[in-house]
């Protein structure tokens, strides 16, 4: 690891965090972690296998069944959760640095994202204090029935590389706040910030085994977590194909699963839209976070009457986007996570040419040539039936299409397997609502880029997922609903066998 990087972490090579201690993998194996800007090795990471998942689950199980966590008063448990939030705030700079070093995401963007991670904890502490409530049903004068929500047990969390720290905290916060214990399997391509997360939890003083991290590969460590009989639930964010595999593998132990999967979200601009704001939002939505964003607007639908002007403006902006070192605060677009992902994204750009698109892009120059850069790219003259308009590319690449009327654009927007997000731009309020209702996606924004309110449900329909995270919606997932029926009168009991 470079000297500068070392200043941001207390661990050179990364260990696993199990039962309140940083430990090597049982089999002593490690894998190498690479910097996407230089493609040089950053460090080695302990490669957890099934045996390490078993160790971590055992620690989490013990902490849940025997430890103080499950018995703690809510107020006391929340002091730990608030403490984690405070410690994340103290570490924002270090975490953002490691995140950008590891993923290639520009530091100006990881700073904002990491700053939001502490809010995940505060938000869920407040939610548990105020909204983790039951319901009561009076049945005549005979019964009072009431519900309680209990933590489920050991929560298995599996996260992707595109927003590692944000997503790890987004899952761990509700899981811990509702009283579960956790085994987290971070993405193998972005392990750095996860160990700072473990350090933060360690410093917050959580009881041993409540929170555990096992690095490793999906097919080994991830798969074992999914099939482990002592893990009650799996919260997964990642590719749709991986989600399908996890659902299959979790079936034999009948786990509850939450699936946040891929997307191919439409961005619809009607002729009466606020042109400049729509342009800003469109550029941000596809080219921020290097285009490696589940809710990216990777399909743009422009009304025929504004298409020429909009495309000209897009081209001008594309040429101005600043590519560069992700650690430079002026950089707007960094390198893709990995050479293999670069192959995939550039493969789609080649496919776009074969499918008949005109490709418009900027140039990659100087030191950027050695990283996994893909310049911001417009696939002009695309049609919705092309593979580049149907499949998730997950890079700074947008298919640009046109439409003539509302009915047509709704049909095109919905003619895709995914259903995560959608964006509608119009100054006709009725049309805005109407189209938002009609587009098949879990989250719609009207005259806005992707802005989140943590109280609202997050998730997709169709091939974009199952279930919703966020707000009190997460409670259903991380808690077991119980109904208690209490007789308060002398209701009639069947006289059986008398
Ligand atoms: P991925 O599916 O390749 O990997 C995600 C995680 O799953 C990794 O930790 C990986 O090790 C693990 N994994 C892989 N195979 C596994 C298996 N068989 N069993 C258990 N675990 C396994 O996804 P990725 O490439 O890391 O992330 C990019 C994808 O994530 C994109 O499709 C993107 O749209 C999606 N994503 C969705 C959301 C959302 O909220 N809907 C948010 C961010 C990213």
């Amino acid at each position: 690891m470079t000297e500068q990087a070392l200043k941001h972490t207390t661990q050179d090579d990364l260990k696993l965090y199990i039962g309140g201690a940083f430990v090597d993998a049982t089999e002593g194996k490690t894998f190498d972690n690479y910097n996407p800007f230089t493609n040089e090795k950053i460090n080695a990471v302990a490669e957890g296998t099934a045996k390490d998942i078993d160790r971590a689950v055992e620690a989490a199980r013990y902490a849940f069944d025997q430890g103080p966590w499950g018995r703690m008063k809510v107020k006391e448990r929340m002091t730990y959760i608030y403490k984690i939030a405070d410690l994340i705030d103290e570490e924002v700079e270090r975490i953002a640095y490691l995140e950008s070093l590891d993923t290639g995401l520009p530091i100006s963007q990881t700073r904002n994202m990491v700053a939001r991670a502490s809010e995940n904890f505060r938000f869920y502490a407040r939610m548990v204090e105020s909204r983790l409530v039951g319901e009561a049903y009076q049945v005549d004068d005979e019964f009072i029935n009431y519900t309680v929500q209990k933590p489920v047990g050991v929560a298995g969390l599996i996260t992707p590389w595109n927003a590692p720290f944000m997503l790890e905290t987004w899952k761990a916060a509700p899981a811990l706040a509702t009283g579960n214990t956790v085994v987290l399997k971070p993405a193998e391509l972005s392990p750095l910030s996860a160990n700072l997360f473990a350090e933060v939890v360690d410093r917050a003083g959580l009881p041993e085994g409540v929170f555990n991290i096992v690095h490793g590969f999906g097919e080994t460590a991830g798969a074992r977590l999914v099939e482990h009989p002592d893990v009650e639930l799996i919260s997964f964010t990642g590719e749709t194909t991986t989600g399908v595999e996890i659902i299959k593998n979790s079936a034999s132990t009948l786990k509850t699963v939450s699936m946040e999967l891929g997307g191919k979200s439409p961005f619809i601009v009607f002729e009466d839209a606020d042109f400049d704001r729509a342009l800003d939002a469109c550029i941000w939505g596809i080219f921020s976070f290097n285009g490696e964003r589940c809710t990216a607007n990777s399909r743009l639908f422009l009304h025929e009457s504004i298409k020429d002007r909009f495309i000209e403006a897009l081209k001008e902006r594309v040429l101005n986007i600043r590519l560069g070192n992700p650690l430079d605060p002026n950089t707007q677009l960094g390198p893709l996570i990995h050479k293999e992902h670069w192959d995939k994204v550039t493969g789609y750009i080649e496919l776009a040419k074969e499918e008949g698109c005109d490709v418009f892009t900027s140039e990659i120059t100087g030191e950027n040539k050695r990283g996994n850069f893909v310049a911001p790219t417009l696939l002009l003259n695309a049609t919705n039936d092309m593979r580049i308009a149907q499949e998730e590319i997950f890079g700074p690449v947008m298919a640009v299409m046109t439409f003539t009327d509302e009915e047509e654009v709704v049909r095109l927007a919905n003619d895709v397997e995914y259903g995560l997000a959608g964006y509608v731009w119009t100054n006709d309020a009725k049309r805005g609502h109407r189209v938002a209702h009609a587009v098949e996606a879990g989250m719609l924004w009207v005259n806005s880029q992707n802005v989140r309110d943590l109280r609202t449900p997050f998730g997709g329909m169709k091939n974009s997922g199952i279930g919703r995270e966020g707000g009190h919606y997460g409670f259903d997932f991380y808690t077991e609903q119980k109904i208690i029926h209490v007789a308060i009168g002398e209701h009639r009991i069947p006289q059986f066998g008398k």
Side-chain angles (χ1 to χ4, degrees):
M1 219 190 242
T2 64
E3 231 172 81
Q4 203 191 2
L6 268 174
K7 275 193 230 144
H8 292 78
T9 175
T10 52
Q11 298 173 41
D12 186 353
D13 290 339
L14 298 187
K15 294 185 186 260
L16 316 178
Y17 183 69
I18 298 179
F22 287 96
V23 296
D24 289 320
T26 311
E27 293 172 16
K29 287 202 262 181
T30 60
F31 63 92
D32 292 341
N33 180 34
Y34 290 91
N35 175 343
F37 182 55
T38 59
N39 280 319
E40 285 163 4
K41 178 178 160 182
I42 300 175
N43 62 353
V45 184
E47 184 188 329
T49 55
K51 287 180 186 153
D52 301 295
I53 290 288
D54 289 355
R55 272 204 291 170
V57 172
E58 198 183 321
R61 184 84 256 163
Y62 185 85
F64 185 78
D65 291 341
Q66 312 288 332
W69 192 244
R71 286 160 198 73
M72 231 175 239
K73 291 194 167 145
V74 167
K75 198 168 176 205
E76 192 187 349
R77 196 165 70 230
M78 292 317 122
T79 58
Y80 289 99
I81 304 294
Y82 285 119
K83 179 85 182 149
I84 294 174
D86 293 344
L87 291 170
I88 290 174
D89 281 345
E90 284 174 21
E91 300 291 3
V92 167
E93 273 307 308
R94 280 170 83 206
I95 300 168
Y97 178 94
L98 291 179
E99 195 88 320
S100 290
L101 182 76
D102 212 10
T103 60
L105 295 173
I107 193 148
S108 59
Q109 296 166 31
T110 51
R111 265 193 198 121
N112 288 339
M113 199 154 60
V114 172
R116 277 166 49 208
S118 59
E119 191 48 29
N120 288 338
F121 280 93
R122 287 199 190 93
F123 172 80
Y124 268 104
R126 290 195 299 266
M127 283 296 290
V128 166
E129 286 165 344
S130 60
R131 288 288 303 273
L132 192 58
V133 289
E135 293 169 357
Y137 306 84
Q138 181 170 350
V139 185
D140 302 322
D141 285 330
E142 294 184 338
F143 281 97
I144 291 287
N145 303 337
Y146 66 93
T147 62
V148 287
Q149 295 178 77
K150 298 285 186 187
V152 177
V154 177
L157 313 180
I158 303 179
T159 48
W161 48 258
N162 70 318
F165 196 77
M166 174 67 191
L167 290 170
E168 287 155 15
T169 55
W170 173 240
K171 291 182 188 301
L176 292 171
T178 50
N180 300 283
T181 58
V182 162
V183 177
L184 166 66
K185 210 300 280 168
E188 53 272 40
L189 295 178
S190 59
L192 278 185
S193 58
N195 276 44
L196 256 187
F197 188 13
E199 286 179 24
V200 158
V201 169
D202 204 64
R203 278 164 55 201
L206 264 71
E208 278 173 21
V210 168
F211 180 77
N212 306 273
I213 290 186
V214 179
H215 292 292
F217 295 103
E219 309 74 49
T220 48
R224 177 61 186 156
L225 189 58
V226 168
E227 68 178 27
H228 200 297
D230 269 345
V231 175
E232 273 84 7
L233 59 87
I234 294 288
S235 175
F236 172 75
T237 299
E239 279 190 20
T240 300
T241 47
T242 316
V244 170
E245 183 74 13
I246 288 177
I247 292 172
K248 280 189 204 155
N249 294 343
S250 63
S252 57
T253 46
L254 219 62
K255 287 186 175 59
T256 317
V257 292
S258 159
M259 293 281 145
E260 298 291 348
L261 309 175
K264 192 78 185 175
S265 301
F267 190 104
I268 302 169
V269 191
F270 284 96
E271 64 282 12
D272 63 343
D274 183 328
F275 188 94
D276 292 334
R277 288 177 63 77
L279 181 67
D280 286 341
C282 179
I283 292 276
W284 168 256
I286 184 64
F287 298 127
S288 60
F289 300 101
N290 300 346
E292 297 162 321
R293 178 184 197 141
C294 56
T295 49
N297 42 269
S298 46
R299 290 186 302 150
L300 172 62
F301 293 100
L302 295 171
H303 189 266
E304 268 294 329
S305 62
I306 55 160
K307 84 162 194 237
D308 290 340
R309 199 176 143 221
F310 206 95
I311 289 172
E312 278 320 299
L314 277 175
K315 285 180 173 175
E316 201 183 315
R317 293 286 191 91
V318 156
L319 296 178
N320 285 334
I321 291 176
R322 291 187 297 275
L323 276 64
N325 186 338
L327 298 172
D328 178 343
N330 291 316
T331 292
Q332 293 177 320
L333 194 127
L336 298 186
I337 182 81
H338 195 269
K339 176 72 177 62
E340 268 176 35
H341 190 53
W342 185 91
D343 288 343
K344 174 182 158 183
V345 174
T346 51
Y348 271 112
I349 295 173
E350 289 310 307
L351 176 66
K353 290 177 192 162
E354 285 166 30
E355 288 188 305
C357 292
D358 295 329
V359 174
F360 183 88
T361 186
S362 69
E363 222 185 315
I364 297 167
T365 55
E367 64 170 355
N368 295 343
K369 284 189 178 156
R370 68 192 169 144
N372 307 321
F373 279 93
V374 171
T377 302
L378 304 173
L379 307 180
L380 301 169
N381 298 323
T383 56
N384 200 50
D385 56 349
M386 292 177 179
R387 277 184 57 201
I388 54 95
Q390 290 289 318
E391 298 173 18
E392 188 183 44
I393 299 175
F394 218 55
V397 180
M398 180 167 65
V400 182
M401 295 169 273
T402 56
F403 67 95
T404 49
D405 63 41
E406 184 180 320
E407 190 254 317
E408 181 195 14
V409 77
V410 167
R411 184 171 45 75
L412 289 171
N414 290 340
D415 184 13
V416 69
E417 287 181 355
Y418 293 103
L420 189 59
Y423 307 85
V424 186
W425 283 81
T426 175
N427 273 332
D428 176 341
K430 283 187 194 163
R431 178 159 65 184
H433 286 284
R434 211 165 45 228
V435 174
H437 280 247
V439 171
E440 294 164 354
M443 298 173 284
L444 273 300
W445 281 269
V446 180
N447 296 332
S448 168
Q449 85 280 28
N450 173 344
V451 182
R452 283 271 294 127
D453 178 328
L454 296 185
R455 292 170 301 179
T456 60
F458 186 98
M461 48 201 276
K462 296 160 83 173
N463 281 7
S464 290
I466 300 176
R468 295 293 182 269
E469 296 184 328
H472 65 83
Y473 301 90
F475 287 167
D476 286 348
F477 182 67
Y478 288 110
T479 60
E480 200 68 75
Q481 287 270 0
K482 293 175 75 171
I483 177 81
I484 318 279
H485 302 268
V486 182
I488 54 171
E490 300 291 317
H491 70 285
R492 188 184 160 274
I493 299 177
Q495 305 296 294
F496 203 65
K498 245 188 181 172

